[in-house]
Amino acid sequence: KTASDQLLVIFGASGDLTGRKLLPSLYELHVRGLLPERFCILGAARTDYSDDEYRVLEKAHIREALKKKEVDEAELDNFLRRVFYLSFDSTNASEYGKLKDRIHQLQHEEQLPDKIIYYLATPPLMYELIPACLKESGLNVPEKADGWRRVIVEKPFGTSLESAQKLNKHLCHIFDEEEIYRIDHYLGKETVQNILVLRFSNGIFEPLWNRNYIDSIEISASETLGVENRGKYYDGAGALRDMIQNHLMQLMAFTAMESPSVFDPEPIRDEIVKVFRALRPYKTHDMDHLIVRGQYDGYRTEKNVATDSTTETYVAMKMFIDNWRWSDVPFYIFTGKKLPEKSSEIVVNFKSTPHQLFAGQCSGGSCNKLIIRIQPDESITLKFGLKMPGAGFTVKQVGMDFRYDSLSKSYLPDAYERLLLDAMLGDSTLYARSDALEASWRLIDPILHHWKEEGAKNLFFYAPGEDGPLEKARLGMVPKDCPCQTC
Ligand code: BG6
């Protein structure tokens, strides 16, 4: 499938996301011949640049973002010829006439059809204002019969159930639901999409993929970095809003959902919503046993962070999905900053055999695992016990590995490449739907309330480089290293 000719307007064009992710990903799509023949990017932001000045600036950003790869200078220049810039104040409704004129001019000069994607790569407080101004100037609806409009909204989508509902209502007043693309870059990761293929294209996993054979599931995203220069945003968000409500809950949905009857956006998104709706709500008196929050030492002295901040930089939680397939199977979800390694993975812990035949055989339920490594070293590993050569019957845990880098000529596209291309194609499968977002906020909201009331009580501290606060042990996760002596 190739995308039709179109124009992409990026609001927040001089920002970090545009230079670090959007333009480098669009450049990669250009190199791989996946962009439509007639395709232009119009960057819009307040700073005063000419087209050429903007191109020079972004050329450096693209080189920096792709520093591990060889960049073909001629191709990069070809790509940059598709990039244009408009200096404009997106907070000022009266400036949208200028935007409209520039769009018309580009459509005319570059022979582009009336097909436009707006990308809101701006601070979240602009998510209401920009679409409202687009509506006021008539830019939200096509002018020609074969035209269309789409809008891509970055996370965070709301900060609570109420604000997410308000934003959804506002956007749906301006665009149709199928024109709204709520991005969650985790869904653009190759390894995340592969969860669906692994589960639904193989007969061997499905019979085991339920409460009868699975002991527990762990879904984690650990990071070594702290908040860096994002203190202003992060201190108001925290790990629960920043990572769990979106990225990790989407991973959970892919792991737990039923198979859709066809691989189309709506049936898939229907199954995701069903998972979120079946999540067991937390009762206030259970929260402190089922959720552990932490903050790394030194966080309060980070730039733009309150000196008495109670914002969590670590969360571990035990969730349950109250449905036929998953009844009483714990899902352990955890994430944190300043942890020992950068890694995201899903570990499916299978139940152990009902009876142990071999001395020292693992009965802890941690020997049979399927490990889906999302990043880095993308891989899928199945762990099981085998006999050690020689006398006796000593069981040893071994692993069967598939590594993405072993696929010849494999190319793992950046998440944004996949998601941008999907939006150009009009495929919303890997974008979040409003009902799913609201359902996820329904679980998260009471926790945020509870923490607000508790303040610093039950906020546990950990040293940077440690594996989160010790109190996480209270959740009863299967230990990483098996306690049996033979594994
Ligand atoms: C972002 C969060 O959405 O995801 C960041 O705002 C986080 O705080 C990042 O660091 C992690 O993404 P990735 O792809 O590096 O795991």
Side-chain angles (χ1 to χ4, degrees):
K1 251 171 123 183
T2 44
S4 55
D5 296 342
Q6 55 193 277
L7 171 69
L8 172 66
V9 178
I10 303 179
F11 294 95
S14 54
D16 182 59
L17 179 70
T18 306
R20 220 167 32 82
K21 290 287 179 191
L22 304 184
L23 290 176
S25 297
L26 288 161
Y27 164 73
E28 290 281 4
L29 291 173
H30 164 87
V31 171
R32 293 196 294 130
L34 293 170
L35 291 182
E37 198 185 325
R38 293 185 189 288
F39 174 77
C40 293
I41 300 157
L42 175 61
R46 206 178 294 211
T47 326
D48 204 7
Y49 298 121
S50 65
D51 286 343
D52 280 338
E53 282 167 342
Y54 184 66
R55 286 174 186 147
V56 171
L57 187 82
E58 291 309 326
K59 191 173 184 174
H61 288 151
I62 295 172
R63 278 212 203 97
E64 169 69 20
L66 302 177
K67 60 178 173 244
K68 281 194 208 134
K69 297 184 194 157
E70 252 179 52
V71 176
D72 178 333
E73 290 298 318
E75 275 309 332
L76 185 51
D77 287 335
N78 283 341
F79 168 72
L80 287 166
R81 273 194 270 281
R82 295 169 177 262
V83 179
F84 300 84
Y85 183 80
L86 174 72
S87 153
F88 120 116
D89 177 4
S90 56
T91 60
N92 184 348
S94 66
E95 295 230 347
Y96 281 70
K98 202 162 108 182
L99 175 64
K100 196 173 195 171
D101 290 346
R102 189 69 201 272
I103 289 175
H104 283 156
Q105 184 199 359
L106 275 178
Q107 284 175 335
H108 176 70
E109 287 173 6
E110 303 294 324
Q111 295 171 37
L112 299 171
D114 184 30
K115 296 176 178 173
I116 305 178
I117 301 186
Y118 301 111
Y119 198 119
L120 306 188
T122 60
L125 71 229
M126 302 299 294
Y127 296 171
E128 290 200 16
L129 185 59
I130 293 175
C133 294
L134 289 173
K135 182 175 157 76
E136 208 178 302
S137 51
L139 280 162
N140 62 322
V141 283
E143 295 171 7
K144 305 207 172 110
D146 64 346
W148 49 246
R149 298 289 181 268
R150 290 175 194 147
V151 61
I152 305 180
V153 188
E154 262 297 329
K155 74 161 261 270
F157 196 90
T159 53
S160 62
L161 175 61
E162 197 188 348
S163 59
Q165 281 172 327
K166 187 166 161 263
L167 183 54
N168 271 330
K169 209 166 149 201
H170 178 76
L171 290 178
C172 288
H173 189 58
I174 298 169
F175 294 98
D176 291 338
E177 170 65 31
E178 52 280 14
E179 295 173 331
I180 306 170
Y181 289 69
R182 301 169 189 85
I183 204 162
D184 182 320
H185 80 275
Y186 261 59
L187 295 188
K189 292 182 193 277
E190 235 357 84
T191 33
V192 174
Q193 292 152 34
N194 227 336
I195 301 169
L196 298 183
V197 180
L198 179 82
R199 289 191 54 203
F200 301 137
S201 76
N202 295 296
I204 52 172
F205 297 114
E206 178 54 24
L208 307 179
W209 212 261
N210 57 55
R211 67 186 309 273
N212 297 324
Y213 299 98
I214 291 180
D215 172 82
S216 62
I217 294 187
E218 294 159 34
I219 301 178
S220 62
S222 318
E223 298 185 87
T224 48
L225 293 180
V227 288
E228 310 302 298
N229 49 12
R230 297 167 72 224
K232 195 165 167 205
Y233 150 75
Y234 195 90
D235 205 36
L240 190 64
R241 287 189 180 101
D242 185 51
M243 292 293 288
I244 293 200
Q245 180 271 329
N246 32 68
H247 306 327
L248 293 189
M249 286 187 69
Q250 291 290 345
L251 292 189
M252 179 189 202
F254 272 27
T255 311
M257 69 193 249
E258 299 300 317
S259 165
S261 53
V262 283
F263 201 76
D264 280 341
E266 292 319 313
I268 294 172
R269 294 157 116 203
D270 289 344
E271 296 305 332
I272 292 175
V273 174
K274 283 188 209 161
V275 173
F276 291 160
R277 291 200 179 130
L279 285 168
R280 187 183 300 172
Y282 290 100
K283 299 197 175 80
T284 309
H285 60 266
D286 279 342
M287 284 186 196
D288 295 338
H289 312 294
L290 299 177
I291 310 171
V292 173
R293 63 179 167 136
Q295 187 185 83
Y296 64 78
D297 294 335
Y299 172 74
R300 292 173 176 179
T301 57
E302 298 272 23
K303 198 169 138 211
N304 293 326
V305 166
T307 48
D308 58 350
S309 172
T310 56
T311 297
E312 75 290 353
T313 58
Y314 177 94
V315 182
M317 50 208 287
K318 191 173 181 177
M319 292 191 195
F320 291 96
I321 301 173
D322 286 336
N323 65 14
W324 195 272
R325 187 189 284 267
W326 295 114
S327 180
D328 289 332
V329 176
F331 280 72
Y332 298 102
I333 315 284
F334 51 104
T335 184
K337 295 213 182 272
K338 293 242 179 183
L339 297 183
E341 60 163 352
K342 165 97 180 153
S343 94
S344 303
E345 58 183 25
I346 298 172
V347 181
V348 180
N349 293 306
F350 290 93
K351 288 186 174 169
S352 49
T353 54
H355 172 66
Q356 277 73 51
L357 284 184
F358 306 106
Q361 181 189 346
C362 177
S363 57
S366 73
C367 269
N368 291 152
K369 294 174 192 280
L370 183 70
I371 303 172
I372 303 172
R373 179 100 170 166
I374 309 288
Q375 63 184 25
D377 307 326
E378 293 81 358
S379 60
I380 297 175
T381 304
L382 185 64
K383 298 250 186 191
F384 49 93
L386 277 186
K387 178 185 171 298
M388 282 288 277
F393 281 86
T394 308
V395 181
K396 168 95 185 146
Q397 196 185 27
V398 295
M400 235 161 45
D401 279 351
F402 157 73
R403 294 179 57 94
Y404 276 76
D405 60 14
S406 67
L407 279 178
S408 65
K409 292 202 182 109
S410 69
Y411 167 72
L412 275 190
D414 184 84
Y416 277 92
E417 279 175 63
R418 171 66 197 247
L419 293 173
L420 280 164
L421 187 61
D422 281 0
M424 286 180 207
L425 289 163
D427 182 346
S428 53
T429 311
L430 299 174
Y431 283 86
R433 204 169 64 185
S434 57
D435 50 358
L437 263 161
E438 290 181 13
S440 64
W441 277 118
R442 231 166 241 122
L443 182 88
I444 298 295
D445 246 19
I447 307 172
L448 290 168
H449 268 322
H450 178 62
W451 286 354
K452 200 167 171 201
E453 272 171 19
E454 283 212 313
K457 192 176 151 210
N458 285 320
L459 171 71
F460 303 106
F461 295 89
Y462 60 99
E466 261 178 16
D467 211 2
L470 295 174
E471 288 74 6
K472 70 177 187 291
R474 65 164 72 146
L475 303 189
M477 261 183 272
V478 175
K480 239 193 176 133
D481 300 314
C482 187
C484 80
Q485 298 304 304
T486 44
C487 273

